[in-house]
């Protein structure tokens, strides 16, 4: 029997990414809604911090598993798995970023989208 991919809206996909991050205790989770911005590269950026390279890998794997389990979708592209200081999972409409804390401060992605709606996800 052939597996079919379930069509997920970017809102659902962003929620699944957050859930995958929370499963592995990611900290400082932020959801940046880019839908209202002209020429935005995606609908959402979801950003989180991790305490170690091992936790970064665990969070990235958890996101991939959560999204695939629910909507049968794999990331279109994945970057940074070799150095584990910053991993990017690109689902086209939703892009997940997992940073070591010092790298997150250095890149300061939240500051690049000052006119976007930014939601801070409460820790569980």
């Amino acid at each position: 029997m052939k597996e079919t991919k379930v069509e997920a809206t970017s809102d659902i996909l962003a929620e699944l990414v957050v859930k995958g991050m929370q499963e592995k205790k990611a900290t400082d989770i932020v959801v940046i809604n880019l839908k209202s911005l002209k020429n935005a590269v995606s609908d959402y950026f979801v950003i989180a911090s991790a305490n170690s390279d091992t936790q970064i890998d665990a969070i990235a794997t958890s996101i991939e598993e959560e999204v695939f389990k629910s909507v049968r979708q794999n990331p279109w592209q994945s970057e940074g798995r070799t150095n584990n200081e910053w991993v990017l999972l690109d689902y086209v409409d939703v892009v997940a970023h997992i940073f070591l804390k010092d790298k997150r401060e250095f890149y300061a992605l939240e500051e690049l989208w000052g006119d976007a709606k930014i939601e801070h996800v409460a820790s569980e």
Side-chain angles (χ1 to χ4, degrees), residues 39-94:
N39 299 324
V41 295
S42 69
D43 288 349
Y44 291 98
F45 274 10
V46 184
I47 305 169
S49 296
N51 295 316
S52 68
D53 58 347
T54 305
Q55 188 184 20
I56 286 177
D57 190 53
I59 293 167
T61 300
S62 177
I63 292 167
E64 290 172 329
E65 289 172 353
E66 193 65 43
V67 171
F68 190 81
K69 177 176 69 176
S70 297
V71 294
R72 300 275 184 247
Q73 198 171 350
N74 288 311
W76 174 68
Q77 192 164 339
S78 176
E79 299 286 336
R81 281 267 169 91
T82 54
N83 66 13
N84 275 347
E85 293 180 343
W86 172 21
V87 171
L88 176 143
L89 298 174
D90 186 349
Y91 288 94
V92 182
D93 291 334
V94 176

Side-chain angles (χ1 to χ4, degrees), residues 19-36:
K19 185 176 178 186
M21 289 175 167
Q22 290 173 325
E23 289 288 323
K24 296 300 177 184
K25 309 293 187 224
T27 57
D28 302 320
I29 301 171
V30 173
V31 179
I32 303 175
N33 185 331
L34 304 169
K35 287 181 176 182
S36 64

